Structure formats: structure tokens, C-alpha cells
Amino acid sequence: MLNRGIGSWPARRARKTPDRVAVVHEDRTLTYGELHERVLRLAHALRALGVTRGDRVAYLGPNHPAFLEGLFAAGALGAVFVPLNTRLAAPELAYNLADSGSTVLVHAPEQDGTARAAVAEAGVPHRIALAGPDEDGGLGYEELLAGAGTDPVDEAVAPEDPCMIMYTSGTTGRPKGAVLSHANITWNSVNVLVDTDLSGDEVTLVVAPLFHTGGLNMTCLPTLLKGGRVVLLGTFDAERVLGLIEDLRVTYMFGVPTMYDAIAARPRWATADLSSLRTLNCGGAPVPARTIATYLDRGLAFSQGYGMTEASPGVLFLDREKASEKAGSAGVPHFFTDTRVVGPDGREVGPGERGEVLVHGPNVMSGYWGRPQDTEAAFTDGRWLRTGDIARIDDEGFAYIVDRAKDMFVSGGENVYPAEVEDAVLDHPAVAECAVIGVPDPVWGEVGRAVVVLRPGVRADRDDILGHLTGRLAKYKIPKSLVVTEALPRTPSGKIIKPAVRDAHAPAPAEHPHP
């Protein structure tokens, strides 16, 4: 084959195991042979719309076979896939669509209104609706596939070619698109196969959203590469997860801590048949010690790791053999990935000392889409990616993430960057100054708190100011509390001193791992 990217995976799997089940979604199953045929049809349909090498194809919707079909079809054409976060508001989606220059958006019925608004604002030429054609010019997904051919598609795609643009919020307040190549994603999958011992009989429950690298690249794609079965769940429901584990004999899944806490809180947790599970992988947010203990006490192999979108995402991983002995650690680097923990002077720190985590490997992104300056700033010596997260290493080389990037906090597995939220709050006519910080929350880990200074002579309350953000920001980004203060602490140059804001308006965060 000329195509050496992941767009060739369905064809390569179909020639090896065409009758093996690849995807399960609700009451529908697709074999590898059927998946390959649908990918070919979609590739031909996209080509008929003018999609060629390098063009961007976006997808908006919950976990669904069409997500994977879109990813592979784009890869078959040498195009670039752009997964979009379903939790974003229409203006945020429009920015991502315009920034990436996407020419096609495929979307699910649940996002119909948001998709139409975002496409109109961004000027995307083609909108494909999973629900079928509509009066606003949306093309029908299944109708397009039914009218397309199944002739082989074998474009020359190199491993270094861009495969995907994954948007991650930036500290400047605007999201940045991490460009992940076919090689990045392939090597990340190889790391997972080596470090978690996935097998061809794997039954992987994909309940974390595919628009995040954790759900897509740590569970779904490695399973498909190995020839296992992925079970796609569109929305998280703890009771249904337990039922699927029992009924389908699930062997592997990934989730964020809030998901695992919700599962363990179900009444049937103590009696559910979980004997099929081989590995439970947890990441994306700080993992409380009580969560780890709950699963280890149940006799389950509970592994955690640390990663970031820019690394596809795997950086560190604690395998199941060490899950109990090293509980709380994010582990050691993935097999083909290297890390360093360095101090402010750039030198590696000793055991027990703290330093910033740097990462290098074939899974690390080539850069940010259309942002050469941000790309240059993200790397040290042009080679090592700066994570902005702080770790300590024990005597055996196991890493413990003890602090996070300067201002970012994690709410329910979602990264929240205060600058973006602050910009939106400052648009309210009553607000003169604003600082957003993360504060502890028993359900979401952390939630936002807006600390604001009102304009002289103006009055406004919490509901008025925070209500102003509805529809402008995703719900998880909107602060859950608001404090009005006389002034915000600033440096002589005028910059807000965030540590001082936290000291005054939030309890000191406990030191705990950030996998």
C-alpha cells in the first residue's frame, strides 16, 4: 500500500480479520470488513465534495461509528481530521472551524442547532448530518454513503503527514490546534500495546469522549490496531457501564476519576460481575487516593497515567503490576517515550526534588496549527516538549505529578484555562477586573471561582455576571462561584498575581498526583 498512515488501518485489518467484530454501538455491530467498506464509501463521498490531500474534515458528536469512519476516511484521502468538543458553545466551535479551515463538518443530531450556527459563522462549505438531509442544505450522511462507490482508495500518505488537529485551550485565552501526525498516533498506539498488553480478543469499552486523546488514542485506536472489539457508549451512565461490563465481558476501559467514582457509588457495585476486566486506566485529572483504594480493594487492576494532547497523549504510565505498590504515582515513561524532570536552570533534578516535566518521543506533536511562535516556545532546544507540569521522581524513577501548569485547572477531566474565561467575564459591563481560579469540589475535582472588581458605582450579582456566560462558553468552563473584591493584587508591571488571589480567595490545594 502507498498509504502508510492510519487511514490504511481498516484495509489492512479487513485483509487479516474481515469477519471479526470491530465496533459495537447500541444494537449495531460492524465487522472489520464492513468498517472498511463504509470508510471507502465515505472517502469517495468526501472526494466528490472536493476534499483532497491536506483539507480539513471536522466531526461534532458523541461517540459513534461515524467518528471513526470520518477519521479513517480523511486519512485515506490524506486529509486532516478535526474532532470537536461537544461541550463547546457555537462561537467556540466556529473559532475552531475557522482556525483549522475545515471545509466539511459531520455532526450528530444532538448538536444540530449548534452545528448549524457554527457552520454559518465560520463559513464552512459543507455540512453533513447523521440524521439525514435537511432544509438548510445539510447533506445526509447515510445517503452520501449509499450513493458512493467502494473502489480502493490508496493515496500516498507518509507517517509524518498531519493526521489530526486536536484543539486544546491555551493560556492566551484562545485554543490552539495540536497537529498530530500519523506517526504520532501510531507510536502512541504501539506504546499502549506494549505497556498494557492488549490482545486481539480485547473488548474495550470506550465511554470517555473520542474528541479527547485519552478516549481515542489510549483505548479505541490501539484496540482496533490489535484487531480487538471497541464498544462505543455515546454518553456516560454509571449503571449502564456496569451492565455492559457484565453483558459484553469488557476487558479494558479508560475513564477520568469522576467516572470511576460514579461507578463505585452505584448500589450494584459490590455485587456486579467484574471478573472480565483486565485493566482499568485512569487519567485526565487528579486521581484521589480514595478512588485508587476503592478499585484496588475490589481486586481490580487500576492503572493511572499522565499525558497531554500534545503527546498524543501518553507520557507516563503506571502498569497494573505496580498499581498497589506505587499508588499515587503516574508511573514511568511509556516504552518509546522519554522524559526529563528539570529545574529552572534546565538541569535534571535529583530524587525527591521538584521540576518541570519535559517529554520527547515519536508520539510528540509536530507543533501547533498555524502558530509557529507558539510551537517554538513549547519546545526546549527544539526537541523537548515543555509540559508546564511539576513532578518529583522517587529513588526508583517513578514520577509523582504534584502541581500543574501555572494557571490551568481540571474540572471533571476537562482542562480549564482561566484567561479564556476571564476574557468572557470582562465583557460584562459591570466588571472592571477579573481573575479566575480553581477551587476544590467534591464531585468535579475542581470548579472555577471568579474573583471580580466591579466598575465604580455599578452593582451586579453572581447570577447576573455568570449568567452572561451562558451560550458563550462551555458549561464546564463557567465558574460555579463568584467573589466581589475591592482590588486584585498586581505586579508593578500591572499583571495579576494569581498566587495571591488563590491565597485570599481559595483554600490551599492539597498535594496530590495529577495523572
Side-chain angles (χ1 to χ4, degrees), residues 134-157:
D134 55 56
E135 69 281 0
D136 289 336
L139 304 171
Y141 185 83
E142 292 297 336
E143 289 78 4
L144 285 176
L145 265 64
T150 58
D151 294 338
V153 175
D154 190 21
E155 293 287 334
V157 177

Side-chain angles (χ1 to χ4, degrees), residues 59-61 83-89 93 96 211-212 414 474 476:
Y59 181 92
L60 177 66
L84 297 174
N85 189 328
T86 59
R87 301 177 70 179
L88 297 182
L93 292 168
N96 291 356
F211 56 73
H212 283 321
E414 299 279 1
Y476 70 86

Side-chain angles (χ1 to χ4, degrees), residues 23 92 108 133-134 139 152 162 170 180 267 279 326 347 386 402 462:
V23 180
E92 297 169 305
D134 55 56
L139 304 171
L180 303 181
T279 301
K326 295 290 184 176
R347 297 180 181 180
R386 299 189 61 179
V402 297
R462 171 194 177 279

Side-chain angles (χ1 to χ4, degrees), residues 67-153:
F67 182 107
L68 299 174
E69 292 162 3
L71 168 64
F72 289 130
L77 296 173
V80 183
F81 191 62
V82 185
L84 297 174
N85 189 328
T86 59
R87 301 177 70 179
L88 297 182
E92 297 169 305
L93 292 168
Y95 175 84
N96 291 356
L97 288 168
D99 183 72
S100 63
S102 294
T103 58
V104 176
L105 172 65
V106 180
H107 69 87
E110 296 91 331
Q111 279 72 43
D112 186 74
T114 306
R116 295 187 195 209
V119 163
E121 183 175 340
V124 177
H126 303 290
R127 180 173 58 84
I128 302 175
L130 296 187
D134 55 56
E135 69 281 0
D136 289 336
L139 304 171
Y141 185 83
E142 292 297 336
E143 289 78 4
L144 285 176
L145 265 64
T150 58
D151 294 338
V153 175

